């Protein structure tokens, strides 16, 4: 069990190192990191429900 957990931690550390390196490269090269927000419009606030008046 301890060996499996040690392998897991080693793999996670290697993955983190790769991800950090990739993000640093993208920032250095000027690539856009989050394309999902491009062209996004703001959403209107939801309308109040009709019914009983609030006091």
């Amino acid at each position: 069990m301890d060996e499996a957990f040690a392998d897991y931690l080693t793999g996670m550390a290697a993955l983190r190192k790769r991800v950090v390196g990739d993000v640093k490269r993208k920032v250095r090269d000027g690539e856009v990191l989050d394309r999902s927000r491009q062209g996004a419009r703001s959403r209107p606030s939801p309308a109040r429900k009709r019914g009983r008046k609030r006091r």
Side-chain angles (χ1 to χ4, degrees), residues 27-39:
V27 168
R28 183 183 64 234
D29 294 347
E31 292 182 29
V32 177
L33 296 179
D34 187 7
R35 295 179 192 268
S36 64
R37 292 182 176 254
Q38 196 173 20

Side-chain angles (χ1 to χ4, degrees), residues 11-25:
M12 290 301 291
L15 177 63
R16 181 183 181 276
K17 186 175 181 179
R18 283 184 14 219
V19 169
V20 168
D22 189 42
V23 169
K24 283 183 179 180
R25 180 188 56 79

Side-chain angles (χ1 to χ4, degrees), residues 46-55:
R48 245 179 60 196
K49 292 183 179 180
R50 295 182 184 177
R52 292 179 27 188
K53 290 183 179 179
R54 294 181 119 178
R55 291 183 186 197

